[in-house]
Short mmCIF file of all heavy atoms in Angstrom, two decimals:
data_model
loop_
_atom_site.label_atom_id
_atom_site.label_comp_id
_atom_site.label_asym_id
_atom_site.label_seq_id
_atom_site.Cartn_x
_atom_site.Cartn_y
_atom_site.Cartn_z
N GLY A 1473 -9.80 22.44 -8.62
CA GLY A 1473 -8.34 22.38 -8.56
C GLY A 1473 -7.83 22.11 -7.15
O GLY A 1473 -6.91 21.31 -6.97
N LYS A 1474 -8.45 22.72 -6.16
CA LYS A 1474 -7.96 22.54 -4.78
C LYS A 1474 -8.21 21.11 -4.28
O LYS A 1474 -7.39 20.56 -3.55
CB LYS A 1474 -8.55 23.58 -3.83
CG LYS A 1474 -10.04 23.52 -3.63
CD LYS A 1474 -10.51 24.64 -2.73
CE LYS A 1474 -12.00 24.51 -2.52
NZ LYS A 1474 -12.62 25.64 -1.87
N TYR A 1475 -9.31 20.51 -4.73
CA TYR A 1475 -9.58 19.11 -4.33
C TYR A 1475 -8.57 18.17 -4.99
O TYR A 1475 -8.05 17.25 -4.36
CB TYR A 1475 -11.00 18.71 -4.71
CG TYR A 1475 -12.06 19.35 -3.85
CD1 TYR A 1475 -12.89 20.35 -4.35
CD2 TYR A 1475 -12.24 18.96 -2.52
CE1 TYR A 1475 -13.86 20.95 -3.57
CE2 TYR A 1475 -13.21 19.55 -1.73
CZ TYR A 1475 -14.02 20.54 -2.26
OH TYR A 1475 -14.97 21.12 -1.47
N VAL A 1476 -8.34 18.40 -6.29
CA VAL A 1476 -7.39 17.54 -7.03
C VAL A 1476 -6.00 17.70 -6.42
O VAL A 1476 -5.30 16.71 -6.16
CB VAL A 1476 -7.40 17.89 -8.53
CG1 VAL A 1476 -6.34 17.10 -9.28
CG2 VAL A 1476 -8.77 17.61 -9.14
N ALA A 1477 -5.61 18.96 -6.16
CA ALA A 1477 -4.29 19.21 -5.56
C ALA A 1477 -4.19 18.52 -4.20
O ALA A 1477 -3.17 17.88 -3.90
CB ALA A 1477 -4.06 20.71 -5.42
N ALA A 1478 -5.24 18.62 -3.41
CA ALA A 1478 -5.23 18.00 -2.07
C ALA A 1478 -5.02 16.49 -2.17
O ALA A 1478 -4.22 15.91 -1.44
CB ALA A 1478 -6.53 18.31 -1.34
N ALA A 1479 -5.73 15.86 -3.12
CA ALA A 1479 -5.63 14.40 -3.26
C ALA A 1479 -4.20 13.99 -3.67
O ALA A 1479 -3.63 13.05 -3.11
CB ALA A 1479 -6.63 13.90 -4.31
N TYR A 1480 -3.62 14.72 -4.64
CA TYR A 1480 -2.26 14.38 -5.09
C TYR A 1480 -1.22 14.69 -4.02
O TYR A 1480 -0.24 13.97 -3.88
CB TYR A 1480 -1.95 15.09 -6.43
CG TYR A 1480 -2.56 14.35 -7.61
CD1 TYR A 1480 -3.92 14.49 -7.93
CD2 TYR A 1480 -1.82 13.46 -8.36
CE1 TYR A 1480 -4.50 13.79 -8.98
CE2 TYR A 1480 -2.39 12.76 -9.42
CZ TYR A 1480 -3.73 12.92 -9.72
OH TYR A 1480 -4.30 12.22 -10.76
N VAL A 1481 -1.46 15.77 -3.24
CA VAL A 1481 -0.53 16.10 -2.15
C VAL A 1481 -0.57 15.01 -1.08
O VAL A 1481 0.47 14.60 -0.54
CB VAL A 1481 -0.85 17.50 -1.56
CG1 VAL A 1481 -0.18 17.70 -0.21
CG2 VAL A 1481 -0.42 18.59 -2.53
N VAL A 1482 -1.76 14.48 -0.78
CA VAL A 1482 -1.90 13.39 0.20
C VAL A 1482 -1.08 12.19 -0.25
O VAL A 1482 -0.32 11.61 0.52
CB VAL A 1482 -3.40 13.00 0.39
CG1 VAL A 1482 -3.53 11.65 1.09
CG2 VAL A 1482 -4.12 14.08 1.18
N PHE A 1483 -1.22 11.84 -1.53
CA PHE A 1483 -0.48 10.70 -2.08
C PHE A 1483 1.03 10.92 -1.97
O PHE A 1483 1.76 10.06 -1.45
CB PHE A 1483 -0.90 10.48 -3.54
CG PHE A 1483 -0.02 9.52 -4.30
CD1 PHE A 1483 -0.06 8.16 -4.01
CD2 PHE A 1483 0.84 9.96 -5.29
CE1 PHE A 1483 0.76 7.27 -4.69
CE2 PHE A 1483 1.65 9.08 -5.98
CZ PHE A 1483 1.62 7.72 -5.68
N LEU A 1484 1.49 12.11 -2.42
CA LEU A 1484 2.93 12.39 -2.39
C LEU A 1484 3.45 12.43 -0.95
O LEU A 1484 4.53 11.92 -0.66
CB LEU A 1484 3.22 13.72 -3.10
CG LEU A 1484 3.16 13.67 -4.62
CD1 LEU A 1484 3.37 15.05 -5.22
CD2 LEU A 1484 4.21 12.72 -5.18
N ALA A 1485 2.66 13.03 -0.05
CA ALA A 1485 3.07 13.13 1.36
C ALA A 1485 3.23 11.74 1.97
O ALA A 1485 4.21 11.46 2.67
CB ALA A 1485 2.06 13.95 2.14
N LEU A 1486 2.27 10.86 1.67
CA LEU A 1486 2.34 9.49 2.20
C LEU A 1486 3.63 8.80 1.76
O LEU A 1486 4.34 8.19 2.58
CB LEU A 1486 1.16 8.67 1.69
CG LEU A 1486 -0.09 8.57 2.55
CD1 LEU A 1486 -1.13 7.72 1.85
CD2 LEU A 1486 0.20 7.97 3.92
N ILE A 1487 3.92 8.91 0.47
CA ILE A 1487 5.10 8.25 -0.09
C ILE A 1487 6.38 8.87 0.49
O ILE A 1487 7.31 8.15 0.89
CB ILE A 1487 5.10 8.31 -1.64
CG1 ILE A 1487 3.84 7.65 -2.20
CG2 ILE A 1487 6.35 7.66 -2.23
CD1 ILE A 1487 3.57 6.24 -1.74
N LEU A 1488 6.41 10.22 0.55
CA LEU A 1488 7.61 10.89 1.06
C LEU A 1488 7.87 10.54 2.52
O LEU A 1488 9.00 10.29 2.92
CB LEU A 1488 7.47 12.41 0.89
CG LEU A 1488 7.72 12.92 -0.54
CD1 LEU A 1488 7.54 14.43 -0.60
CD2 LEU A 1488 9.13 12.56 -1.01
N ILE A 1489 6.81 10.53 3.34
CA ILE A 1489 6.97 10.20 4.76
C ILE A 1489 7.50 8.77 4.90
O ILE A 1489 8.43 8.49 5.66
CB ILE A 1489 5.64 10.39 5.54
CG1 ILE A 1489 5.28 11.88 5.61
CG2 ILE A 1489 5.72 9.79 6.95
CD1 ILE A 1489 3.88 12.16 6.09
N TYR A 1490 6.91 7.87 4.11
CA TYR A 1490 7.33 6.47 4.16
C TYR A 1490 8.80 6.33 3.77
O TYR A 1490 9.58 5.67 4.47
CB TYR A 1490 6.44 5.64 3.21
CG TYR A 1490 6.83 4.19 3.14
CD1 TYR A 1490 6.33 3.29 4.08
CD2 TYR A 1490 7.69 3.72 2.16
CE1 TYR A 1490 6.69 1.96 4.03
CE2 TYR A 1490 8.05 2.39 2.11
CZ TYR A 1490 7.55 1.52 3.04
OH TYR A 1490 7.92 0.20 2.99
N VAL A 1491 9.19 6.98 2.67
CA VAL A 1491 10.59 6.88 2.20
C VAL A 1491 11.53 7.52 3.23
O VAL A 1491 12.62 7.00 3.50
CB VAL A 1491 10.73 7.53 0.79
CG1 VAL A 1491 12.19 7.67 0.39
CG2 VAL A 1491 10.00 6.69 -0.24
N ALA A 1492 11.11 8.64 3.84
CA ALA A 1492 11.94 9.30 4.85
C ALA A 1492 12.16 8.39 6.06
O ALA A 1492 13.29 8.29 6.58
CB ALA A 1492 11.28 10.61 5.28
N ILE A 1493 11.11 7.70 6.49
CA ILE A 1493 11.24 6.77 7.63
C ILE A 1493 12.20 5.63 7.27
O ILE A 1493 13.07 5.26 8.05
CB ILE A 1493 9.85 6.23 8.07
CG1 ILE A 1493 9.03 7.37 8.67
CG2 ILE A 1493 9.99 5.08 9.07
CD1 ILE A 1493 7.57 7.03 8.93
N MET A 1494 12.03 5.10 6.04
CA MET A 1494 12.91 4.01 5.59
C MET A 1494 14.37 4.47 5.51
O MET A 1494 15.29 3.75 5.90
CB MET A 1494 12.47 3.52 4.20
CG MET A 1494 11.34 2.55 4.22
SD MET A 1494 11.74 1.09 5.16
CE MET A 1494 10.36 1.03 6.24
#
Side-chain angles (χ1 to χ4, degrees):
Chain A
K1474 64 183 182 191
Y1475 288 108
V1476 175
Y1480 280 80
V1481 165
V1482 164
F1483 169 71
L1484 285 176
L1486 266 180
I1487 302 306
L1488 282 179
I1489 292 168
Y1490 178 85
V1491 170
I1493 292 170
M1494 278 301 128

